[in-house]
Amino acid sequence: MAGRFPLLEKAYLESPIVDKGGYPYFVNPISDGIPKVDPALLEEVVGGLCDLCKGGIDLILAPEAMGIHLAAGVSLQTRIPFSVMRKREYGLPGEIEVVTKTGYSESRMYINGVSKGDRVAIIDDVVSTGGTLLALSKGLQSAGAEVVVTAVVYNKSDDLDEVRRRTGLNIRTMLDIGVRDGRPVIL
């Protein structure tokens, strides 16, 4: 029986799982942009993210790369501007450098376009370890911005409450997922 997001559920259950150094990584249109992003799936996801992001937001912020299309869709629906946390340093005034640590990588990323007092919604495709969200939270705090909500498509975390505690973020997700015996499962 299909849940609230039938296209999203189908897309996830059809995802191949690849091993990234012992980390089960799923390959999916929403989280990877491959094999292709069906407009109806994207519309369903953007609608779900908009529902999670209601109330008092000045700016949408999304990490590169897979948060970009999601943030753009939410921005078009809500008329709230968005900015992207990039992997490239630009050296602009007020640029914030953060170090992200995920389940399979570590990198430096850069936040631009955030001002003191901004009320921010973070949009992302997957929460697992919370490493990207922790870096974003610290960076936004240092800029004097307030993160009102964090809206994520897929929750792959073993303990989302612990991720919330560590990051201090109000994390809302659309679909709880996992990998069992090398296969995608909806929890």
Side-chain angles (χ1 to χ4, degrees):
M1 181 170 152
R4 184 167 167 221
F5 305 107
L7 298 176
L8 182 63
E9 290 177 12
K10 181 178 185 299
Y12 178 69
L13 291 173
E14 293 175 353
S15 298
I17 306 298
V18 297
D19 184 276
K20 292 259 190 194
Y23 183 87
Y25 186 92
F26 66 96
V27 180
N28 179 272
I30 294 301
S31 60
D32 299 284
I34 54 175
K36 62 183 174 182
V37 181
D38 181 270
L41 171 62
L42 184 58
E43 185 175 49
E44 181 179 272
V45 169
V46 167
L49 291 170
C50 286
D51 288 346
L52 297 177
C53 288
K54 297 203 186 257
I57 297 164
D58 305 313
L59 177 69
I60 297 164
L61 184 66
E64 153 173 60
M66 294 316 296
I68 297 172
H69 64 296
L70 303 174
V74 172
S75 177
L76 286 169
Q77 292 294 313
T78 63
R79 310 308 296 167
I80 298 168
F82 80 97
S83 186
V84 178
M85 183 170 83
R86 300 294 310 265
K87 296 175 183 172
R88 177 179 306 132
E89 180 178 12
Y90 291 92
L92 297 174
E95 183 170 75
I96 304 161
E97 178 182 13
V98 298
V99 177
T100 64
K101 296 178 185 178
T102 68
Y104 55 90
S105 71
E106 180 176 317
S107 63
R108 295 190 182 287
M109 296 186 82
Y110 303 88
I111 303 169
N112 284 287
V114 176
S115 300
K116 183 177 181 175
D118 279 348
R119 294 175 46 84
V120 178
I122 298 172
I123 302 285
D124 206 359
D125 60 330
V126 180
V127 59
S128 184
T129 65
T132 300
L133 295 178
L134 181 61
L136 256 172
S137 175
K138 287 180 178 179
L140 291 169
Q141 280 182 337
S142 75
E146 175 190 354
V147 181
V148 175
V149 66
T150 301
V152 181
V153 178
Y154 292 117
N155 169 30
K156 190 180 176 190
S157 174
D158 292 333
D159 190 349
L160 187 58
D161 287 335
E162 175 61 17
V163 174
R164 287 180 177 119
R165 187 196 64 72
R166 269 190 314 117
T167 62
L169 296 173
N170 172 19
I171 302 170
R172 300 175 184 171
T173 63
M174 292 177 61
L175 193 63
D176 295 328
I177 61 167
V179 175
R180 299 234 169 88
D181 299 321
R183 307 267 314 140
V185 293
I186 297 172
L187 304 176

